[in-house]
Amino acid sequence: MKICMVVPQEDVKGGIASVVNGYRERGLGKEYELSFVESYRDGSKWQKLGKAIDGYVRFGWELLFHTPDIVHIHSSFGPSFYRKMPFIYMAKWKGIKLVNHIHGAEFGEFYINASEKKKKLIQKVYTKCDVLVVLSAEWKEKIGQIVSKSKIQIIENYCQIPKLQTGVRKKQILFLGEIGERKGCFDIPDIYKRIVDVVGNIPLIMAGDGEVECVKEMLKEKAVLENVSFPGWIRGETKEKLLQESSFFLFPSYNEGMPMAVLEAMAYGMGIVTSNVGGIPKLIDDGVSGYICTPGEIGDISEKMIRLILQEEHLKECGANARKKAIEQYSFESHVEKLTKLYQGI
């Protein structure tokens, strides 16, 4: 079976690229012939436009000369929706089965708060898809406002399961992701200040890019900037090293699908404190494999992190439970089984 995936460039920052790169590296099995058409890259608006145009040309060539059985588009909301529209129309013009795999998290701005004209366009485009893949039951309910729920299937993200290094982890807190308000980063200075007041100067590493200077200024105002480091957007060995050596993972996001960052923290057996949004409550069993809190509840988030820091045995137990769940329910192999069932079904 020939599957053509419309994907971001391999080195793009973010969760979609992380998911897709697993397909690039490991494939989906011998029965599938995978091809990839890149439609997005990081960079200036002109570089992004050039990449999109190149993607349309390559996709047209793929449809005409290597006609796939299924087109699998990886998309988000906002500009990503409009970039993917030509791919959807081209695939349907050729009569090819179409899967639209939606990874985005900003549903309110995208649809609920949109004009009636934009809502009709979104409904028209999404209705052309044979299947819409979402990351959690919460997102099935949301997308179900646009198309029939019978068209929507849930396939959660996956995580690569690493071999854990032996040795003592450092008592340091790690955040991974885009540094900005949506990920809860504007709450982190207050959270971290409360943690430091109780446990002392425990290091905090905020790995990502975005509104870094704004968060630095907030940390400076709280007089806790000294022990916070900002290594920028990390990947590969640098990311592996931080996940292996850090004990705690802080992710107080306000809006998510099913974040790869939390899945990775689970796979590495970290002590996780995160929020009860999107698919996260399905990942973390509160008090058993970490803690989930209401976004913005700074006192509760701080208290849960302090509990993990001070109770070493509880930390180890939570980390072990999180890793066990990642292995049993969110492995790459389990994810591919769900994809295979989806492809066969259409």
Side-chain angles (χ1 to χ4, degrees), residues 131-145:
V131 177
L132 295 165
V133 173
V134 297
L135 307 182
S136 69
E138 179 189 13
W139 280 97
K140 183 171 183 176
E141 291 297 317
K142 289 182 177 181
I143 303 299
Q145 298 177 48

Side-chain angles (χ1 to χ4, degrees), residues 316-327:
K316 289 179 180 178
E317 184 179 347
C318 284
N321 289 337
R323 180 172 165 86
K324 183 174 183 287
K325 188 169 184 177
I327 292 169

Side-chain angles (χ1 to χ4, degrees), residues 332-342:
F332 182 78
E333 291 74 19
S334 173
H335 179 85
V336 168
E337 283 181 15
K338 294 172 186 175
L339 270 186
T340 299
K341 185 176 179 181
L342 168 66

